[in-house]
Amino acid sequence: MKDRIARILEEGIEEFAAASDRKTLDAVRAKYLGQKGFVKDVLSSIGSVPPAERKEIGRLANELRAKLEAAFEKQKKALASAPGTGTVFDPTEPPAGGEIRELGRTHPLSAVVSDLLRIFSCLGFEAVDGPEVEDERHNFDDLNIPKDHPARDSWDSFYLGRNMLLRSQTSTVQIRVMEDLARMPPLRVVAPGRVYRPDKIDATHASTFHQIEGLWVDRDVSMADLKGVIAAFCRELFGPSVRTRFRPSFFPFTEPSAEADASCPRCSGRRGLACSLCKGAGWIEVGGCGMVNPKVFEAVCGERLRRGETLPPGGMPPFHPERVTGFAFGFGIERLCMIRFGIDDIRLFLENDLRFLRQF
Ligand code: PHE
């Protein structure tokens, strides 16, 4: 009996391994493991084995069945992964080796950017892009920040040799869009992207962060339009009961300029000092904004002429400050992201710590 079991095992393993397609494999399985198969036969003859050997034979028979089943499974897998065998690819089957790759997920900043683009596209804004390596003209001069003007200090960024630097604000894209001869007013664009500043790093300041710039140029665009767009945007982002307010501010490229605040989306000012977001102020700063300074339009008109813009005799350039007005705004994306997800330190965005990123 022992010999018989050993022979069945040996031949069975060989036959399973030799089965070159699914049909043969199933036939081999029926021959060994089926209702009328060898294993069944061995098991049912255990009763006629002398009682002294029964235990041992029983053990061998069970082992035989287990080994043949394993041989079957192994060959089944081998056939399934072999190309051209006509077997169906099963994407849900765990990979060989058992290692399962982790799925990627959306970075919290990307999630906020897609929200912003969705909201602004509903308001009629087209998404545009600009370079992170800029020249001084786009980063400063044409934005009405002349050389030696003290306003340059807060934006004097990372220089890459003479005249080139990492942009300190997305406002550069205002110039890039308007000086493009392929574009004419009316213009409604938003430009999300990365900016660089020599700021002292703390929980709310980083040397690298993201902004979204907005620009609307048309005949008779007013400060009321600006306020309307920012109010609509804040309601959409933070919830319908959020209010907005403007505080007077200064930016060289807008006149007048303002800081836009939203009423605290967490407590609306009701929780006072206990609110971790507004710290009792009742308002949170969303970003800077204002009416495009005529000096910016003048710089754009000059550049368009240099690029060969032709005007009808006596015609006014399309971006002439007597012809168009506009507004612009710039919001910090990390800030909006921190408000939305309750993140309390901007440095977390730069550390690539998986324990942080896995929470989103
Ligand atoms: N560029 C300004 C900043 O970096 C924000 C801003 C954009 C202000 C557009 C007014 C208009 O702070």
Side-chain angles (χ1 to χ4, degrees):
M1 189 73 173
K2 269 194 213 166
D3 286 351
R4 191 166 164 235
I5 291 177
R7 216 175 42 246
I8 294 175
L9 180 62
E10 194 183 325
E11 283 171 14
I13 298 250
E14 245 170 54
E15 278 192 56
F16 276 119
S20 58
D21 57 53
R22 192 56 209 251
K23 220 172 136 196
T24 322
L25 183 66
D26 284 337
V28 178
R29 184 194 198 187
K31 178 170 164 191
Y32 285 87
L33 295 160
Q35 279 309 316
K36 291 181 185 151
F38 291 150
V39 172
K40 199 89 188 179
D41 193 38
V42 169
L43 287 170
S44 55
S45 56
I46 286 180
S48 54
V49 171
E53 286 173 39
R54 214 171 277 165
K55 204 172 156 201
E56 154 107 83
I57 296 293
R59 191 182 58 76
L60 287 174
N62 280 327
E63 213 176 272
L64 172 70
R65 183 172 55 191
K67 284 188 173 156
L68 291 178
E69 264 163 13
F72 165 73
E73 289 297 335
K74 187 174 159 208
Q75 189 64 8
K76 186 172 100 178
K77 273 220 180 101
L79 287 181
S81 59
T85 50
T87 44
V88 181
F89 169 65
D90 177 4
T92 65
E93 188 167 336
E99 142 214 357
I100 295 180
R101 222 169 276 166
E102 223 180 311
L103 284 182
R105 61 193 86 193
T106 308
H107 190 281
L109 285 176
S110 308
V112 169
V113 169
S114 35
D115 269 2
L116 297 178
L117 293 183
R118 180 182 51 78
I119 295 172
F120 281 116
S121 110
C122 292
L123 291 167
F125 287 80
E126 170 198 353
V128 295
D129 214 1
E132 287 174 30
V133 175
E134 264 297 5
D135 52 30
E136 288 186 300
R137 179 169 73 80
H138 289 94
N139 201 69
F140 296 122
D141 303 309
D142 287 4
L143 286 168
N144 191 33
I145 313 172
K147 252 195 176 53
D148 306 322
H149 192 282
R152 262 202 198 199
D153 290 352
S154 58
W155 283 304
D156 234 356
S157 196
F158 299 97
Y159 277 83
L160 307 162
R162 228 167 56 82
N163 186 37
M164 298 301 285
L165 73 165
L166 297 179
R167 69 177 174 193
S168 53
Q169 49 189 343
T170 44
S171 300
T172 52
V173 187
Q174 291 185 34
I175 306 297
R176 292 215 167 256
V177 168
M178 287 192 283
E179 72 188 7
D180 178 358
L181 292 187
R183 291 194 181 263
M184 285 289 191
L187 210 69
R188 230 185 297 180
V189 295
V190 279
R194 192 172 289 147
V195 300
Y196 303 82
R197 286 196 196 170
D199 280 356
K200 198 158 157 274
I201 295 166
D202 61 24
T204 53
H205 295 86
S207 55
T208 304
F209 59 99
H210 297 76
Q211 290 186 321
I212 185 162
E213 189 82 9
L215 174 70
W216 182 331
V217 178
D218 201 346
R219 286 173 192 264
D220 301 323
V221 179
S222 75
M223 194 103 178
D225 297 314
L226 168 60
K227 184 113 199 252
V229 163
I230 291 193
F233 162 75
C234 287
R235 278 197 304 270
E236 195 57 41
L237 190 69
F238 296 127
S241 58
V242 159
R243 286 159 298 131
T244 26
R245 73 171 185 189
F246 278 7
R247 281 176 292 120
S249 185
F250 171 77
F251 297 101
F253 33 91
T254 47
E255 179 62 28
S257 304
E259 294 293 341
D261 294 343
S263 59
C264 179
R266 208 167 290 165
C267 80
S268 306
R270 281 192 300 270
R271 296 201 58 212
L273 289 170
C275 178
S276 59
L277 185 55
C278 70
K279 311 232 159 43
W283 297 90
I284 49 156
E285 192 185 307
V286 178
C289 60
M291 301 306 294
V292 176
N293 192 320
K295 290 259 179 63
V296 172
F297 285 134
E298 279 165 21
V300 164
C301 290
E303 177 61 21
R304 289 176 70 100
L305 282 180
R306 267 189 294 283
R307 291 182 179 202
E309 182 161 65
T310 48
L311 304 169
M316 209 184 242
F319 285 92
H320 195 284
E322 278 166 31
R323 181 184 182 130
V324 289
T325 53
F327 67 71
F329 55 82
F331 304 152
I333 294 178
E334 273 79 356
R335 233 190 111 62
L336 299 176
C337 189
M338 287 164 80
I339 295 167
R340 165 149 162 209
F341 292 110
I343 299 165
D344 57 7
D345 197 320
I346 196 171
R347 288 168 288 198
L348 289 164
F349 290 112
L350 291 169
E351 286 168 356
N352 272 338
D353 187 333
L354 290 179
R355 290 169 304 179
F356 169 68
L357 295 171
R358 284 200 177 110
Q359 295 175 54
F360 302 96

